[in-house]
Amino acid sequence: MSQSDRGLRRLAAGTLLVAFQGTTAPDWVLRELENGLGGVTLFGFNVADRGQVRELTTALRGAGEPVISLDEEGGDVTRLAYHVGSPYPGNAALGAVDDVELTRRVYGAIAAELAACGVNLDMAPSADVNTEADNPVIGTRSFGTDPELVARHTVAAVQGLQAAHVAACVKHFPGHGATRVDSHLAIPVVDVGMDVLRARELAPFRAAIEAGARSLMTAHVAVPVLTGDTPATLSPAALTGLLRGELGYRGVVVTDAMDMHAITQGVGLAGGAVLTLAAGADLLCLGPQPTHDDVRHIIAEIVTAVGEGRLDPARLEESAARVAALRDWFGAPREPAAEPNGVGLHAARRAVRLTGATEPLVEPLVIEVDTPPTIAVGDVPWGVGPWLPDAEIVRVEPAAADVPGLLARAASRSLVVVVKDAHRHPASQAMVSALLAARPDTTVIEMGLPVWRPASAAYIATYGAARANAQAAVELLTA
């Protein structure tokens, strides 16, 4: 391979954020980092504990200058606390409190933990305006339904993260909040005019850009008036025309995971890589599925596209310059990040809401209504069990629940029902309604968005299913 070919391959590799299985760095990742790989994205399966993550990121840094990223949003989406649940409430809870200084402190605490673990880019916050209650993938990840509220809290989150020199990655541009389809599975559509898009979806991104967000993440959503039926991730009109041109963004553009069906079932993984680079993306998050063989194939396809004139080499050089500037920012002198100080539980306590009145618990039976996890969240534990050690806790599938049997079991006992986004699951609503018909004294705890409110004696809304949210709910329940 000639020196120019090696240089081109290095440029191509420099656009990729790869993933791998396990808690130690595979040899192929270390070799690719030595050959210019852009960096890595860590997932829950890469995390055992904080010390292990620090050892992992130290090993990665020994092979290059990688961007080390993960999704740490607080709330339902966590990687550092994937096995136990986040100690921080998510955006819906912070939006419900609507105290921007609190949001800044929560994200500052998250950043302190990430910095201590060697992570330098957080794929957060979600700046999506969640105007669709039946949104299957955003929900409690959004600060709310009002663009101005979402904008001011997005800015606070960016400031909290970047004060600790952890780059924010504001997502999902140009907005995923008005969708009813999960882009992990298909291409969602935001079918509004540019006036609505500018006033609603784009307001938080405009604010984040003005606040100096170091990176933004693309969404695999189609906006017909802007992108036609093409996902924004692959659209020059979205990434170059709108984001770079109209909004004047000069930071790093990161893609959402390229292994999602919205990309792979259309143009394929390697084909999508070329198209998103041509559209204006700088770093491609490949997601958890691509293997080393896939990575090599993607790099080869990018190199081939340059040779065939389908991709301007200047685009790769432009991306390399932006990522180099980000790395320089990572390495700038900084003050040590403040250690987390219990702000997560404090925020969760401020967010939780009680309607009605609770009664002292008597041999409580707690029925947790199972809710399928989204791909973005994964199998993160949720529920009130850790905070009610003396209660009997039953996790049930709502469609198969034995309601008479559960009622018999709860006779002469306190009954507590825990749901998560019940408004999105008719089977959950039917089961809870059947229980309440016989036991109107039941307490219902909603650990998703409090859209559907049954007529129970007491109703507790947590605005999220993080560990901190659960503790705050139980404190109200047992007060």
Side-chain angles (χ1 to χ4, degrees), residues 234 258 260-275 298:
L234 308 181
M258 296 296 291
M260 291 158 65
H261 288 180
I263 302 298
T264 58
Q265 292 189 351
V267 296
L269 192 58
V274 171
L275 289 173
I298 292 166

Side-chain angles (χ1 to χ4, degrees), residues 86-90 93-94 102 105-107 109-110 113 340-351 466-469 471-472:
S86 178
Y88 304 102
L94 296 173
L102 179 64
R105 287 172 57 206
V106 167
Y107 273 89
I110 290 172
E113 292 201 31
N341 55 4
V343 67
L345 181 57
H346 170 70
R349 285 169 172 161
R350 289 187 61 186
R467 191 175 176 88
N469 298 120
Q471 182 175 349

